[in-house]
Amino acid sequence: MKIELFYPYVPKSVVGAIKKTLSTKWIGQGPKVLEFENLWEEKISFSHKAIAVGSGTNALHLAYILAGIREGDEVIAPIFTYPATNIPLLYQKAKIVFADIKKDSLNIDPSDIRRKITSRTKAIVVVHYGGVPCDMDEIQAIADEYHIPIIEDAAYAIGATYKGKNIGSLSDFTCFSFQAVKMITTGAGGMLTIKNPKIVSWAKKLRLFGMEKTSKLEDRWAKDITEVGYRYEMTDIAATMGIEALKKFSSTLKHYQDLAKIYSEELKNIPSIQYIGGDSLCVILVEKREDLEQKLAIHGIESSQVDYRNDRYSIFGGRVENCPNMDMLEKKYLVLPMHHHLQKKDIQYICQVIKK
Ligand SMILES: Cc1ncc(COP(=O)(O)O)c(C=O)c1O
């Protein structure tokens, strides 16, 4: 028996839909991308405009540019996340100020944002780790006070809500990933949602070299390019996958939520374990992490830390000494299997092994 940590999920209907897309003249960015964006607005981001891109990292980079982050600007960012959250800040040559996590979760601590914010802070970046939403009211209050934007990394938070509102429909910018093992995958892909409709056409230009995409190719190339943009667009092949997955998303999400509920109930009364969540990743805190990892492996169950504190990577300038909660929790957190192919009995089995 082998229970994998992650496993990609692609709905069966994708195969037929891709076949159709491949028989049209649009396989790069075309009408399917627009359809995916419209569906995203209808189901996830509502009045926030959706812009499909080639990856979650593309979405983050575009958000940082649109938020006005430039060389030397201070940006408060999460110390604990997949490094793709923070690396595009280095593209912008920003000065990253790592904020600590909370004592009992891996999400950013609003009180540490407050401690570290200055008049030079240009933006606040947060990640909803594993799909557990950050304290958005507190963080929004700080952002409002300093008149700066929030950028949410929602790579793990498709379908997550905060106080009944969808992640993606809250702050200035939200960035989703459709990388291979996310709840919705397009192989590689991402979605940026934007609150301010006035900057949507700017975002679309940045997505394609700085060019205005018109239906007539010759017009597009004839026009001036006034700002350096990127090749960050999504293809219609990827969008086709995204559309099919999004149509089925309510049942996909329900399945993840059912699995998460079993974890939360089964693990809550074990004294040496603290269940953190969420729906995308099952994160726990455990005193003897290595022992547990080994025992799980003996029983054919994969587990891993998955992500690490980012100041371990030299590119971010070396280990910081002002994140005590991170210091405390870095030896304790562990991620347990969570993906669409798992059944309730698999989670019950994992919990049984942990209890033993
Ligand atoms: C938290 C987080 N942020 C950003 C990313 C980057 O997304 P992508 O791989 O689509 O570029 C990922 C993805 O894997 C992620 O897990």
Side-chain angles (χ1 to χ4, degrees):
M1 181 166 185
K2 171 97 178 149
I3 301 185
E4 275 116 344
L5 196 53
F6 305 123
Y7 205 95
Y9 167 64
V10 177
K12 286 200 175 69
S13 63
V14 163
V15 177
I18 292 268
K19 232 176 158 180
K20 264 195 199 152
T21 297
L22 289 178
S23 69
T24 71
K25 76 167 185 174
W26 295 104
I27 59 171
Q29 190 193 333
K32 283 286 170 190
V33 167
L34 198 59
E35 188 183 330
F36 187 29
E37 290 169 340
N38 291 339
L39 197 60
W40 196 266
E41 287 166 12
E42 189 188 312
K43 289 184 179 278
I44 307 277
S45 64
F46 309 127
S47 66
H48 290 224
K49 291 287 160 200
I51 296 176
V53 286
S55 69
T57 311
N58 291 172
L60 286 155
H61 188 203
L62 287 188
Y64 297 157
I65 298 169
L66 296 164
I69 298 168
R70 301 288 180 267
E71 185 162 0
D73 289 335
E74 284 179 19
V75 177
I76 306 255
I79 188 161
F80 184 78
T81 182
Y82 186 63
T85 314
N86 291 320
I87 285 174
L89 288 170
L90 299 182
Y91 302 166
Q92 293 305 101
K93 299 188 167 56
K95 184 175 179 293
I96 297 173
V97 178
F98 285 127
D100 203 358
I101 52 173
K102 301 200 321 179
K103 273 199 183 79
D104 55 355
S105 119
L106 297 177
N107 279 347
I108 199 161
D109 182 355
S111 61
D112 203 43
I113 298 178
R114 236 179 224 293
R115 265 192 293 276
K116 288 172 179 164
I117 203 160
T118 72
S119 58
R120 292 176 303 280
T121 306
K122 194 80 191 204
I124 300 169
V125 180
V126 305
V127 58
H128 306 293
Y129 195 75
V132 179
C134 294
D135 301 319
M136 293 312 293
D137 282 350
E138 286 91 329
I139 298 165
Q140 190 65 60
I142 301 169
D144 289 344
E145 215 175 288
Y146 285 81
H147 306 289
I148 54 173
I150 295 174
I151 298 111
E152 296 172 64
D153 179 341
Y156 289 125
I158 306 174
T161 56
Y162 175 77
K163 296 191 176 171
K165 289 191 179 145
N166 282 1
I167 296 295
S169 69
L170 296 171
S171 67
D172 307 279
F173 303 97
T174 308
C175 306
F176 296 92
S177 164
F178 308 127
Q179 169 267 347
V181 294
K182 297 296 188 271
M183 273 192 200
I184 289 177
T185 182
T186 59
M191 191 72 82
L192 168 64
T193 67
I194 298 180
K195 187 176 189 175
N196 180 1
K198 290 192 188 130
I199 60 172
V200 169
S201 59
W202 179 23
K204 286 188 174 169
K205 277 168 84 170
L206 287 173
R207 175 172 64 174
L208 195 69
F209 298 122
M211 283 188 320
E212 219 151 326
K213 192 171 162 64
T214 59
S215 52
K216 279 193 185 164
L217 259 183
E218 56 277 21
D219 284 359
R220 193 194 318 163
W221 289 104
K223 279 190 182 161
D224 193 13
I225 297 173
T226 54
E227 182 181 6
V228 175
Y230 301 84
R231 187 161 176 71
Y232 279 177
E233 81 275 24
M234 178 177 272
T235 67
D236 264 26
I237 299 172
T240 302
M241 291 182 77
I243 290 164
E244 292 307 308
L246 189 52
K247 282 185 197 158
K248 294 186 174 53
F249 186 64
S250 56
S251 68
T252 306
L253 181 64
K254 166 93 173 44
H255 184 64
Y256 276 89
Q257 286 171 336
D258 288 347
L259 301 183
K261 196 159 171 238
I262 299 174
Y263 270 131
S264 114
E265 279 167 8
E266 294 284 329
L267 299 178
K268 74 178 168 210
N269 294 324
I270 307 177
S272 56
I273 285 181
Q274 192 183 332
Y275 171 78
I276 292 188
D279 293 337
S280 265
L281 300 181
C282 174
V283 187
I284 59 168
L285 299 179
V286 55
E287 293 302 327
K288 295 181 179 172
R289 179 172 63 196
E290 268 182 36
D291 289 359
L292 180 60
E293 274 192 276
Q294 280 170 14
K295 289 270 157 55
L296 288 167
I298 291 167
H299 289 83
I301 302 163
E302 228 176 6
S303 65
S304 162
Q305 285 160 266
V306 180
D307 293 307
Y308 296 87
R309 58 185 297 166
N310 278 197
D311 59 343
R312 82 200 309 260
Y313 304 114
S314 314
I315 52 170
F316 295 120
R319 193 170 162 107
V320 297
E321 301 298 337
N322 58 2
C323 290
N325 295 337
M326 186 74 254
D327 297 342
M328 196 171 67
L329 297 191
E330 74 174 321
K331 294 176 202 77
K332 296 185 181 174
Y333 70 92
L334 187 67
V335 178
L336 301 175
M338 187 66 129
H339 55 80
H340 196 272
H341 303 276
L342 291 174
Q343 301 301 317
K344 289 180 183 173
K345 66 172 173 37
D346 298 317
I347 310 298
Q348 274 149 357
Y349 170 70
I350 295 166
C351 294
Q352 249 176 38
V353 171
I354 292 174
K355 282 181 188 167
K356 245 201 245 168

